[in-house]
Amino acid sequence: MIKTISMNECVSLIKPGMSIMVGGFMAVGTPEHIVNALVKSDVKDLTLICTDTATECNGVGKMVVNKQFSKIIASHIGLNRETGRQLTTGETDVQLVPQGTLAERIRAGGTGLGGFLTPTGIGTIVEEGKQIIEVNDNKYILELPLRADVALIYGSIVDKAGNVFIQKTTRNFNSIMALAADLVIVEATKLVEVGEIDPHLVMVPSTLVDYIVDMTVLEVE
Amino acid sequence: MIKTISMNECVSLIKPGMSIMVGGFMAVGTPEHIVNALVKSDVKDLTLICTDTATECNGVGKMVVNKQFSKIIASHIGLNRETGRQLTTGETDVQLVPQGTLAERIRAGGTGLGGFLTPTGIGTIVEEGKQIIEVNDNKYILELPLRADVALIYGSIVDKAGNVFIQKTTRNFNSIMALAADLVIVEATKLVEVGEIDPHLVMVPSTLVDYIVDMTVLEVE
Amino acid sequence: MSRNSELKEIIARRVAKELKDGYMVNLGIGLPTLVANYLPEDVDVLFQSENGMLGLGPAPEEGFEDKDISNAGGQPVTIVPGGMYFDSSYSFGLIRGGHVDVTVLGALEVDEKANIANWMIPGKMVPGMGGAMDLLVGAKKVIVAMLHTAKDRPKILKVCHLPLTAVGAVNMIITELCVFEYIDGKLTLIELINDSKLEEVRTKTEAEFIVKL
Amino acid sequence: MSRNSELKEIIARRVAKELKDGYMVNLGIGLPTLVANYLPEDVDVLFQSENGMLGLGPAPEEGFEDKDISNAGGQPVTIVPGGMYFDSSYSFGLIRGGHVDVTVLGALEVDEKANIANWMIPGKMVPGMGGAMDLLVGAKKVIVAMLHTAKDRPKILKVCHLPLTAVGAVNMIITELCVFEYIDGKLTLIELINDSKLEEVRTKTEAEFIVKL
């Protein structure tokens, strides 16, 4: 099974109206080349799920500046003024979610849970409109799972079957997002033969990855 | 901070009435030397949380034969006839939990969640006495977190600060149990200097580990 | 080879045809394990073992066992290139999350509503459900692989009598006689195998079923 | 050094005394980050960075940055021997699960009931809560490290006015003037620092507090 696709093919898979999860934390561990190609493609009306919107000139922040999102679900937008502006004017529907809750909602979406009870946000506006459940005299918010049409993830080393190793702090949301989307595309910084990644270091199994964009080839082109 | 303790010190920490989580799957990845020492110590009235009770002559199965548990929470007991016998006679309170639910309950106990919604067990006796919550027309069981007084875990390579690497399929429940107990003791098959384990391969951070039983020393003794 | 072993081989061979290239597959203990032996040459699947690995390989040669790599029965196995190790919460995350394309399990009873009972016989045998309840609920496709009857008594029933392992979870039943599929929620006979006759299937099946051969 | 920088240094030095050997510590962005510089020699702690590592080390020398190791502000950092990398769900599992012994955060407002507001000013600034809500709820001990007032207006109030980040979550407040602790749920002044006087603390604090110097 050949999973490598060109950047053009990758871009053609992202269509208006889709929801996309994008890995990365302040753009560290974001599949930056795919994001750049999406900026160029100018596809609009997307829903973004990403822990932050980076800055105006980094990661998904560039797509915010390019007004490609009609909805954004994130935990932090403070370092990208354009996101704040779009929130204030109402141009974009921005939903803020505590970061741990966001991670857990994505994990729940990817692992078949119907939701989970978290103490995070109790007594704050985060609990508004949500079911509160008491367990052993403690109050928890019932938070629901989150999934997306597409996950765009970053891979430090990817093998040709699609196994992914994501090094150091580039891992962040990438590995859990790979569980929670119908279509998973990985940007491979380095592509190796199957069997070259230590099975202890595989962070996304090959069967979850639909397509690989091989940057070693694209950078040569 | 010196965390290494002798096997005698380790055994003295496990007192009657305590609940213990023990890693391992059919005794693969069980801290077998600690278990052997506990059999010898004959400490009774413990609650065991372990995915299975192995066989009569393996892992925690030996402690079952020695009648050291007043309560057992497990997903499978079928390969240890003594557990089945104690269940049938009522000598031991045996609670059977689906394996995925057991793993998730331990993870919830270790990560501060108040519970989670799982589809596993709906329509079976597993749902008896539990709250059923409907989300988007699907029924889920609300399962609650599980914690223990002590976690006894297995380490393939442990550094002197307590960072743990657990190789191949010995990992199973070990790494999540380390999150969910008040006292965490690791049986170190190999002890190395701090910094010798690749930070990507640390599966239990040193700050979670209270004590290390160093088998390289004990085996020489 | 005993008569029973022959029948189990027939079942395993037929189940193997359901596995497609790129699938993640979990095989239960016993008969289902045999399926791995009959995988077509051109089909590449990864076997998931719920105790903590993807890419379960064949049993090692004697003397080459690695005590740190085992399957869900605790037996020594190997890992294939492109495999992965993980902890139990990730393992069941894969299972419950629908990332296992096919699971193959045995059963004591299956019924018209796709219910299955395979984890206990009250007062007689209470081994525990292990990972079966999660696999039944989570896997995309559940194939029950079993002998059609037990001591000549039907196992495919109108309604299960034993405590259920899961409700409405079964997609396909493969026995030494035939293949059933639940189509639009209805038990449907889609194939006769091993030269069996429709009449024989009818006799040995308590459940009502539609025939679409 | 500016007057403000001096005050922040005073606060950071005092916070550092709260960190004990073997602790897992999470420092917020800004003033709290300075705390790492004043750790006593004989105290070994591991700094947790919620973006995915334990064992946050000092910033690398210029030219030696590794773009794949960053802190929660996205700035290049290093990892110390004995550190660990993990994904975001594990990271917040550690945080929410009470495995972070101390977290140090800034605040816009704190009140008598240990409530804290530090994530938004309606109509003016909505950066998002990031990991702050989880840290406040999950860490064993929450230390608010901040200047005592903002533009001469008290920040330690009877009741927070801004949208809360967490309810009853704060354990200690350390400013350039003093240290408050919540003892039996009551805001208690336990220490004056930097030669400050009780009267000055009273003037600059709106909240009522007990004095136990």
Side-chain angles (χ1 to χ4, degrees):
Chain A
M1 224 177 320
I2 295 168
K3 291 183 173 177
T4 50
I5 55 172
S6 70
M7 189 61 92
N8 280 343
E9 286 172 292
C10 168
V11 165
S12 72
L13 293 167
I14 317 299
K15 299 185 196 323
M18 276 188 168
S19 57
I20 62 171
M21 286 182 177
V22 184
F25 191 110
M26 281 307 294
V28 175
T30 287
E32 196 82 31
H33 296 92
I34 294 180
V35 166
N36 287 340
L38 288 175
V39 169
K40 222 167 137 190
S41 86
D42 208 30
V43 56
K44 303 275 189 189
D45 193 25
L46 298 172
T47 292
L48 172 70
I49 299 166
C50 188
T51 189
D52 56 60
T53 53
T55 67
E56 287 91 331
C57 50
N58 269 308
V60 295
K62 291 174 283 191
M63 293 178 73
V64 174
V65 171
N66 201 30
K67 302 183 179 175
Q68 294 179 266
F69 302 117
S70 51
K71 182 171 172 180
I72 293 173
I73 300 174
S75 73
H76 198 267
I77 59 167
L79 298 174
N80 187 328
R81 282 182 213 177
E82 176 60 16
T83 317
R85 195 194 61 74
Q86 291 178 21
L87 164 77
T88 308
T89 62
E91 277 170 68
T92 305
D93 173 12
V94 180
Q95 298 184 0
L96 292 166
V97 178
Q99 196 172 158
T101 298
L102 183 65
E104 205 62 22
R105 287 181 63 191
I106 293 168
R107 181 181 178 275
T111 62
L113 298 177
F116 58 91
L117 306 187
T118 181
T120 303
I122 282 287
T124 75
I125 60 173
V126 166
E127 73 173 43
E128 282 174 16
K130 292 174 187 160
Q131 199 174 338
I132 307 298
I133 293 181
E134 212 160 311
V135 178
N136 299 329
D137 293 331
N138 291 310
K139 282 184 183 175
Y140 297 95
I141 300 178
L142 172 60
E143 292 280 3
L144 302 183
L146 197 56
R147 291 185 57 89
D149 295 318
V150 184
L152 301 173
I153 71 168
Y154 175 80
S156 304
I157 305 178
V158 180
D159 76 21
K160 288 180 177 172
N163 288 300
V164 183
F165 166 64
I166 316 160
Q167 75 174 354
K168 300 171 184 171
T169 59
T170 61
R171 182 171 183 183
N172 51 69
F173 281 76
N174 283 294
S175 44
I176 51 174
M177 285 175 170
L179 290 161
D182 296 340
L183 186 75
V184 176
I185 305 174
V186 58
E187 175 176 313
T189 304
K190 188 178 170 189
L191 192 71
V192 300
E193 296 299 324
V194 175
E196 284 191 48
I197 306 177
D198 177 344
H200 295 101
L201 291 176
V202 173
M203 293 164 182
V204 180
S206 58
T207 51
L208 298 191
V209 173
D210 296 290
Y211 297 112
I212 303 166
V213 180
D214 177 10
M215 293 316 302
T216 54
V217 176
L218 295 183
E219 281 176 343
V220 172
E221 274 173 0
Chain B
M1 223 178 317
I2 294 169
K3 291 184 175 176
T4 50
I5 56 172
S6 70
M7 190 59 92
N8 281 343
E9 288 173 292
C10 169
V11 165
S12 72
L13 293 166
I14 317 299
K15 299 186 197 322
M18 277 188 167
S19 57
I20 63 171
M21 286 182 177
V22 184
F25 191 111
M26 281 306 296
V28 176
T30 288
E32 195 82 31
H33 296 91
I34 295 180
V35 166
N36 287 341
L38 287 175
V39 169
K40 222 168 135 188
S41 85
D42 208 31
V43 55
K44 304 274 190 191
D45 195 25
L46 299 171
T47 292
L48 172 70
I49 299 166
C50 188
T51 188
D52 56 60
T53 52
T55 67
E56 288 90 332
C57 50
N58 268 308
V60 294
K62 292 173 284 192
M63 295 178 72
V64 174
V65 171
N66 201 30
K67 302 183 179 176
Q68 295 180 267
F69 302 116
S70 51
K71 183 170 172 180
I72 293 173
I73 300 175
S75 73
H76 198 269
I77 58 167
L79 298 175
N80 187 328
R81 282 181 214 178
E82 176 59 17
T83 318
R85 197 194 60 75
Q86 292 178 21
L87 165 77
T88 307
T89 62
E91 277 170 69
T92 306
D93 174 14
V94 180
Q95 298 185 2
L96 293 166
V97 178
Q99 195 171 160
T101 298
L102 183 65
E104 205 63 20
R105 288 182 62 193
I106 293 168
R107 181 181 179 276
T111 62
L113 297 177
F116 57 92
L117 306 186
T118 180
T120 303
I122 282 288
T124 76
I125 61 174
V126 166
E127 73 174 41
E128 282 174 16
K130 293 175 187 159
Q131 199 176 338
I132 308 297
I133 294 181
E134 212 159 311
V135 177
N136 299 328
D137 292 332
N138 292 310
K139 282 185 183 174
Y140 297 95
I141 300 177
L142 171 60
E143 292 280 4
L144 302 183
L146 197 57
R147 290 186 58 89
D149 295 317
V150 184
L152 301 174
I153 71 167
Y154 175 81
S156 305
I157 305 176
V158 180
D159 77 21
K160 288 180 177 172
N163 288 299
V164 183
F165 166 64
I166 316 162
Q167 74 174 355
K168 301 171 184 171
T169 60
T170 61
R171 183 172 183 182
N172 50 69
F173 281 75
N174 283 295
S175 44
I176 52 173
M177 285 175 170
L179 290 161
D182 296 339
L183 186 74
V184 177
I185 305 174
V186 59
E187 173 176 313
T189 304
K190 188 178 170 189
L191 192 72
V192 300
E193 296 298 326
V194 175
E196 284 191 49
I197 306 177
D198 177 343
H200 295 101
L201 290 177
V202 174
M203 293 163 182
V204 181
S206 59
T207 52
L208 298 191
V209 173
D210 297 289
Y211 298 112
I212 303 167
V213 180
D214 178 8
M215 293 316 303
T216 54
V217 176
L218 295 184
E219 282 177 341
V220 171
E221 274 172 2
Chain C
M1 202 185 272
S2 75
R3 174 71 184 142
N4 248 0
S5 301
E6 261 176 63
L7 298 181
K8 285 179 180 173
E9 190 191 307
I10 288 165
I11 297 170
R13 273 185 197 282
R14 179 58 189 81
V15 172
K17 288 187 191 165
E18 297 296 318
L19 308 186
K20 310 273 182 259
D21 211 32
Y23 271 14
M24 186 190 301
V25 177
N26 184 298
L27 301 178
I29 295 172
L31 194 168
T33 305
L34 300 177
V35 172
N37 302 334
Y38 304 106
L39 203 63
E41 276 285 330
D42 57 336
V43 172
D44 222 0
V45 308
L46 283 175
F47 292 106
Q48 202 255 15
S49 193
E50 65 265 33
N51 58 310
M53 69 186 286
L54 183 60
L56 192 78
E61 283 181 56
E62 221 184 296
F64 289 86
E65 295 89 354
D66 177 342
K67 68 172 180 46
D68 288 351
I69 313 186
S70 68
N71 63 16
Q75 306 304 315
V77 289
T78 54
I79 187 168
V80 302
M84 173 184 185
Y85 297 113
F86 35 70
D87 69 31
S88 296
S89 73
Y90 190 89
S91 182
F92 282 88
L94 288 177
I95 289 169
R96 219 181 22 239
H99 303 290
V100 172
D101 295 286
V102 171
T103 188
V104 185
L105 299 104
L108 297 166
E109 299 176 347
V110 190
D111 74 17
E112 290 176 9
K113 299 229 186 260
N115 298 324
I116 173 170
N118 71 350
W119 77 281
M120 73 172 288
I121 303 174
K124 200 165 164 189
M125 181 195 79
V126 191
M129 64 295 277
M133 286 191 179
D134 296 284
L135 279 160
L136 284 162
V137 162
K140 275 195 202 132
K141 181 170 181 172
V142 172
I143 301 178
V144 169
M146 63 177 190
L147 292 173
H148 204 96
T149 55
K151 298 179 189 161
D152 291 330
R153 289 174 52 185
K155 297 172 72 176
I156 305 169
L157 309 175
K158 285 182 186 303
V159 178
C160 288
H161 304 301
L162 294 170
L164 298 183
T165 316
V167 170
V170 180
N171 300 102
M172 193 175 251
I173 306 170
I174 299 182
T175 74
E176 74 280 17
L177 300 180
C178 64
V179 180
F180 283 110
E181 202 176 338
Y182 291 85
I183 299 176
D184 299 330
K186 291 204 159 54
L187 184 65
T188 310
L189 179 71
I190 60 165
E191 198 178 319
L192 292 168
I193 57 180
N194 193 27
D195 297 323
S196 70
K197 299 282 173 289
L198 177 57
E199 210 33 57
E200 184 181 3
V201 173
R202 283 205 197 281
T203 310
K204 294 183 170 173
T205 306
E206 182 196 292
E208 306 225 3
F209 56 87
I210 293 169
V211 180
K212 270 198 187 156
L213 292 170
Chain D
M1 203 185 270
S2 74
R3 174 73 184 140
N4 246 0
S5 301
E6 261 176 62
L7 298 180
K8 285 180 180 172
E9 191 191 306
I10 288 165
I11 297 170
R13 274 186 196 282
R14 178 58 190 82
V15 172
K17 288 187 192 165
E18 298 296 319
L19 308 187
K20 310 275 182 255
D21 210 33
Y23 272 14
M24 187 191 299
V25 177
N26 185 297
L27 301 177
I29 295 172
L31 193 167
T33 305
L34 300 177
V35 173
N37 302 334
Y38 303 106
L39 204 62
E41 276 283 329
D42 58 335
V43 172
D44 220 2
V45 308
L46 283 175
F47 291 106
Q48 201 254 17
S49 193
E50 66 265 31
N51 57 310
M53 69 187 284
L54 183 61
L56 192 77
E61 283 181 56
E62 221 185 295
F64 290 85
E65 296 89 354
D66 178 342
K67 68 173 181 45
D68 287 351
I69 312 186
S70 69
N71 64 15
Q75 305 305 315
V77 289
T78 53
I79 187 167
V80 302
M84 175 185 184
Y85 298 112
F86 35 71
D87 69 31
S88 296
S89 73
Y90 190 89
S91 182
F92 281 88
L94 289 176
I95 289 169
R96 219 181 24 239
H99 303 289
V100 172
D101 295 285
V102 172
T103 188
V104 185
L105 299 104
L108 297 166
E109 299 175 348
V110 190
D111 72 17
E112 289 176 9
K113 299 228 186 260
N115 298 323
I116 174 171
N118 71 350
W119 77 282
M120 72 172 288
I121 303 175
K124 202 167 163 187
M125 182 195 77
V126 191
M129 65 293 279
M133 287 191 179
D134 296 285
L135 279 160
L136 285 162
V137 162
K140 274 194 204 134
K141 181 169 181 173
V142 171
I143 302 177
V144 169
M146 63 176 190
L147 293 172
H148 205 95
T149 54
K151 296 178 188 161
D152 292 330
R153 290 174 51 184
K155 296 172 74 175
I156 305 169
L157 308 175
K158 286 183 185 302
V159 177
C160 288
H161 305 301
L162 293 170
L164 297 183
T165 317
V167 170
V170 179
N171 300 100
M172 193 176 252
I173 306 169
I174 300 181
T175 74
E176 74 280 18
L177 299 180
C178 64
V179 180
F180 284 110
E181 202 176 339
Y182 291 85
I183 299 176
D184 299 329
K186 290 206 160 51
L187 185 65
T188 310
L189 180 71
I190 60 166
E191 197 178 320
L192 292 168
I193 57 179
N194 193 27
D195 297 324
S196 70
K197 299 284 174 287
L198 178 57
E199 210 34 54
E200 184 181 3
V201 172
R202 285 205 196 281
T203 310
K204 294 184 170 172
T205 306
E206 181 197 292
E208 305 224 5
F209 56 86
I210 293 169
V211 179
K212 272 197 188 158
L213 293 170

